[in-house]
Amino acid sequence: MKRTLIKHVLESDQIGGRVKVAGWVRTRRDSKGGFSFLELNDGSSFAGVQIVVPGEIENYESEILNVTIGSAVAVTGELVESPGSGQRVEIHAGNVHVYGYADPDDYPLQKKQIGFERLRELAHLRPRTNTFGAMARVRNALAYATHRFYQERDFLYLHTPMITASDAEGAGEMFQVTTLDVGAPPRVDDAVDYSQDFFGRPTFLTVSGQLEAEAYALALDRVYTFGPTFRAENSNTRRHLAEFWMIEPEVAFADLSDNADLAEAYVRYLFQYILDHCSTDLEFFNKWVDDGLLARLDSIASADFRRITYTDAVEVLSKAEVAFDYPVDWGVDLQSEHERYLTEVAFEQPLIVTDYPSDIKAFYMRRNDDGKTVAAMDVLVPGVGEIVGGSQREERHDVLYESIVAKGLPVDDYWWYLDLRRFGSVPHAGFGLGFGRIVQFATGMQNIRDAIPFPRTPNSAEF
RNA sequence: UCCGGGGUAGCUCAAUUCGGCAGAGCAGCGGACUGUUAAUCCGUUUGUUGUGGGUUCAAGUCCCACCCCCGGAGCCA
């Protein structure tokens, strides 16, 4: 008999019909009336299905009474209306096949709640919990919504390389990729001889696909990347991972305003999508993780983002009647406490801050006419902080060249990037969005390590 | 990397200012009861107190070093 996913069983109106389901047992409750209840979950939905196992089936004593939390079973039976109060329908089992037991002496998950920190040590089993099942479904929905959003707008999904030779943004520690014997690499003089390495030169895991995305945007008009990126920073916060997924759209013939429009439309689309498609999971997060979650997602999906220039933001901050640890002054980057004040106190909504001082921003951002600022933007949201960083790119060859030199970067490495400005250059813009931070915000999970299946952080790559 | 807080039973935690026999709930196990649903009730097992050193008659507790975790900062997405 063909197996049905539990989510479909729960929606089914085929009362009296035969169904087959399979999954992992969440609880077994015995009745001395001579039968047992199993709650079975297969991850297809938040709710599991209740199985009523009559004592008459042949393996009841020998097997069913040994089924405990974590065991895997398949059940064939009749779908009936449930007389109990916790569910609309249930399955009266005619046959239960046990695929695998989970010895309760060793199985670490319990009916009772386990702390998130402990569950990180059980990353291979935590998807069997309510929270991480819900997280995985919401994360999946956000990924699907991402593709749908861009595909609906004629963006081309672009695969940029994971291994690169250059440090794309001139900032951030990178993981080196090598096939050399790290214990005894070949040497010329005192230096490692990278001409003998796999690529004949030092290579690294990418920190961004942006530069490559620009090349394709300047041929195919609008593209987006969606893939893993890597930062070897020794940063240990609840918002950072060493390996994280990023979405980077890049659009030709677009300026900073177009870019902000796109970022806002995308973020709002994501939240509206999960509100429409993940309501049960979100209600769970709203009840157990973050009680303001649904209201916040709803308000963000339905209201315009506030836009403000860096200069005006500094003005707001300098008038704030709050004692900041770091002084606010035009020319220095906004600190986390400043961003939090702006988005959580001053405006209480997502905020797009634009036109930052050029000295604190990357070389590829377009210089504004005032000579002091660049066409950069950050999208800030309450609770998580910066989720989007982007800019209009410098399309003028000479200005870009000067900027690379001024930042002390190796001009030769950027020959092909500069080439894009020599041949048919046009204004273009794009941004990067940290997918984990969106998942974090969308679920209310406090720590980004709990917003990705297998987090990679300093000292942690067990799974 | 810096600042702060932590590491005690399988899990969540306690152990009185000022060192003095290491405990409780949950889980597990045994039993009772029940169309149950975080089931309930009775009974019961469980310890290299993160690691290494030191002080002391005596250290979970005090001192030193190190490891790891969490929060904040920096870096950023």
Side-chain angles (χ1 to χ4, degrees):
Chain A
M1 186 176 183
K2 197 162 190 270
R3 191 166 59 88
T4 307
L5 286 175
I6 288 170
K7 67 181 275 193
H8 296 131
V9 169
L10 295 175
E11 294 162 355
S12 172
D13 54 4
Q14 304 295 307
I15 301 299
R18 281 178 64 76
V19 291
K20 179 180 181 181
V21 295
W24 291 267
V25 171
R26 287 291 178 82
T27 64
R28 188 193 87 224
R29 299 179 291 269
D30 299 329
S31 167
K32 272 298 189 307
F35 55 97
S36 295
F37 299 95
L38 299 179
E39 188 191 333
L40 200 62
N41 188 291
D42 65 3
S44 62
S45 62
F46 183 85
V49 65
Q50 173 160 282
I51 312 291
V52 182
V53 186
E56 290 74 38
I57 68 170
E58 48 110 8
N59 58 345
Y60 183 78
E61 293 280 341
S62 60
E63 296 191 335
I64 303 308
L65 291 182
N66 292 315
V67 163
T68 52
I69 179 172
S71 298
V73 303
V75 175
T76 308
E78 182 186 358
L79 185 68
V80 300
E81 286 183 24
S82 177
S85 61
Q87 57 282 319
R88 187 179 65 91
V89 296
E90 64 189 23
I91 295 172
H92 281 192
N95 178 278
V96 179
H97 172 70
V98 180
Y99 279 103
Y101 295 98
D103 185 341
D105 282 338
D106 297 326
Y107 189 63
L109 299 184
Q110 308 169 5
K111 273 180 281 191
K112 191 120 181 173
Q113 282 194 348
I114 302 177
F116 292 145
E117 294 168 29
R118 170 70 181 144
L119 285 174
R120 277 171 220 151
E121 298 168 3
L122 303 170
H124 59 312
L125 295 173
R126 67 180 186 171
R128 299 186 188 186
T129 64
N130 282 336
T131 302
F132 286 89
M135 183 279 288
R137 283 185 297 271
V138 171
R139 190 176 167 101
N140 169 72
L142 289 166
Y144 177 70
T146 291
H147 284 297
R148 221 175 78 160
F149 175 83
Y150 289 110
Q151 295 291 334
E152 282 172 354
R153 285 160 183 74
D154 296 311
F155 282 65
L156 182 139
Y157 177 32
L158 179 70
H159 296 141
T160 50
M162 227 102 44
I163 298 173
T164 65
S166 67
D167 182 345
E169 308 192 15
E173 291 295 308
M174 304 179 83
F175 290 101
Q176 188 164 3
V177 176
T178 183
T179 53
L180 297 178
D181 179 351
V182 294
R187 293 175 181 277
V188 277
D189 302 324
D190 282 340
V192 174
D193 181 10
Y194 282 107
S195 70
Q196 294 188 48
D197 203 350
F198 188 89
F199 295 103
R201 59 192 297 177
T203 50
F204 307 89
L205 292 177
T206 185
V207 298
S208 166
Q210 179 198 316
L211 303 191
E212 289 90 350
E214 285 186 53
Y216 269 66
L218 293 178
L220 300 169
D221 196 276
R222 61 201 70 184
V223 302
Y224 69 106
T225 72
F226 186 1
T229 50
F230 308 88
R231 307 272 166 96
E233 303 285 349
N234 185 19
S235 64
N236 213 315
T237 81
R238 62 185 180 88
R239 305 185 311 280
H240 290 86
L241 295 169
E243 175 186 295
F244 64 99
W245 286 62
M246 189 155 64
I247 292 114
E248 295 179 290
E250 195 69 36
V251 184
F253 311 103
D255 62 15
L256 188 66
S257 173
D258 299 324
N259 206 30
D261 290 345
L262 182 68
E264 176 176 342
Y266 170 44
V267 170
R268 291 173 61 179
Y269 183 97
L270 288 179
F271 293 152
Q272 190 59 57
Y273 184 86
I274 57 170
L275 284 168
D276 292 342
H277 293 87
C278 302
S279 55
T280 308
D281 291 322
L282 293 181
E283 281 159 17
F284 169 79
F285 286 118
N286 193 68
K287 181 172 181 184
W288 295 102
V289 176
D290 176 357
D291 65 5
L293 179 67
L294 283 172
R296 201 162 56 244
L297 290 176
D298 208 56
S299 76
I300 290 174
S302 57
D304 290 345
F305 288 10
R306 183 89 176 219
R307 300 188 191 187
I308 184 173
T309 66
Y310 166 88
T311 301
D312 289 343
V314 168
E315 185 75 16
V316 169
L317 289 166
S318 62
K319 286 178 181 166
E321 293 177 4
V322 177
F324 293 117
D325 291 338
Y326 293 85
V328 182
D329 194 21
W330 200 98
V332 299
D333 208 356
L334 299 179
Q335 303 291 315
S336 289
E337 59 175 344
H338 303 144
E339 295 181 344
R340 272 207 310 277
Y341 176 85
L342 289 170
T343 190
E344 293 170 12
V345 180
F347 300 109
E348 295 183 85
Q349 67 176 110
L351 200 63
I352 305 181
V353 182
T354 63
D355 301 296
Y356 285 79
S358 51
D359 289 346
I360 58 172
K361 287 292 181 182
F363 73 92
Y364 51 75
M365 298 184 176
R366 191 179 195 279
R367 190 183 299 171
N368 286 329
D369 292 342
D370 62 14
K372 302 186 300 182
T373 61
V374 290
M377 64 169 198
D378 284 352
V379 178
L380 312 177
V381 295
V384 176
E386 182 180 343
I387 53 169
V388 168
S391 66
Q392 184 174 342
R393 319 306 190 187
E394 183 56 75
E395 84 282 12
R396 296 162 297 188
H397 179 277
D398 294 349
V399 179
L400 180 62
Y401 187 95
E402 279 172 27
S403 195
I404 292 171
V405 172
K407 301 268 182 190
L409 300 170
V411 179
D412 291 348
D413 286 0
Y414 295 94
W415 68 270
W416 63 267
Y417 191 66
L418 285 160
D419 248 12
L420 297 171
R421 279 70 180 172
R422 291 174 64 204
F423 309 118
S425 188
V426 301
H428 60 290
F431 61 83
L433 175 140
F435 190 60
R437 291 192 181 169
I438 283 285
V439 177
Q440 210 183 339
F441 190 87
T443 57
M445 296 297 283
Q446 288 296 299
N447 196 307
I448 198 167
R449 298 173 183 106
D450 301 323
I452 188 170
F454 297 98
R456 294 284 177 264
T457 54
N459 262 309
S460 176
E462 176 73 14
F463 297 91

